[in-house]
Amino acid sequence: MNFNIIRASNENIDQVGKLFDLYRQFYKYESNIEESTKYISERIKKNESIIFLALTEKDKPVGFVQLYETFGSLYLGKIIILYDLYVKKDYRKYGIGYKLMKKSEEFAKSIGAKGIELSTAKNNLTAQSLYEKIGYIRGNEFYSYSYELK
């Protein structure tokens, strides 16, 4: 299957918004296309994230990856947080997730980042397999915590 990966811009907000809503549903969040699209719109318009979009030959959106630039004190430099990676179910196993990951790596290198960090659900074995195939190493030194503000 042939597909292109582009950096998402204002013209792609609705396309990415729909994929982002599906991604959130994958993680058991209720569908909310309006809020999902608004979130993506804000990230793109404010230049707060980098989103790469996978499109079929006919410009059908089938996957995306969203990256956030930050700094890693232990790295003594810039790092990329790969927060979202999603490929539509019917388009998995075509290498789209792999290509989105490699595009993320290219981007990180181009800005002089020291590394890429990500996390995934413990039961998302498909994603874990992809990350390990590329060379990501599962960490065992740190626990991850989150705290939801209300």
Side-chain angles (χ1 to χ4, degrees):
M1 164 170 285
N2 293 325
F3 56 90
N4 297 312
I5 296 178
I6 63 166
R7 183 166 175 174
S9 64
N10 289 333
E11 293 79 40
N12 307 107
I13 288 171
D14 287 337
Q15 293 173 312
V16 178
K18 289 174 185 169
L19 289 170
F20 184 64
D21 190 59
L22 292 171
Y23 165 80
R24 292 182 75 250
Q25 290 175 57
F26 176 82
Y27 280 106
K28 309 296 183 223
Y29 285 82
E30 195 171 307
S31 177
N32 189 331
I33 191 69
E34 185 178 314
E35 286 298 315
S36 292
T37 302
K38 179 181 174 191
Y39 180 85
I40 293 299
S41 177
E42 289 174 357
R43 299 299 70 76
I44 290 175
K45 289 179 178 177
K46 293 179 179 180
N47 244 353
E48 293 177 336
S49 72
I50 297 88
I51 301 172
F52 292 107
L53 176 64
L55 301 165
T56 65
E57 296 169 312
K58 297 179 181 180
D59 289 333
K60 180 178 180 178
V62 295
F64 78 99
V65 63
Q66 183 163 214
L67 311 170
Y68 296 96
E69 290 183 49
T70 190
F71 293 89
S73 302
L74 299 177
Y75 286 107
L76 300 174
K78 189 178 286 190
I79 61 168
I80 295 295
I81 304 296
L82 190 157
Y83 204 88
D84 310 310
L85 174 67
Y86 180 77
V87 176
K88 287 177 98 173
K89 190 173 186 175
D90 292 345
Y91 293 89
R92 294 178 188 157
K93 303 291 184 198
Y94 290 106
I96 296 169
Y98 177 84
K99 293 276 186 165
L100 287 165
M101 294 290 295
K102 293 312 258 181
K103 189 69 170 179
S104 301
E105 182 181 330
E106 287 173 24
F107 173 78
K109 286 179 180 177
S110 77
I111 62 164
K114 303 273 187 169
I116 301 172
E117 295 188 359
L118 61 83
S119 60
T120 191
K122 289 180 181 179
N123 66 351
N124 192 347
L125 301 179
T126 302
Q128 292 170 36
S129 174
L130 171 62
Y131 304 147
E132 291 170 12
K133 174 183 173 185
I134 292 171
Y136 282 71
I137 299 168
R138 186 186 328 206
N140 293 320
E141 291 186 47
F142 299 95
Y143 288 114
S144 178
Y145 292 87
S146 64
Y147 181 74
E148 187 174 341
L149 300 172
K150 296 175 185 179

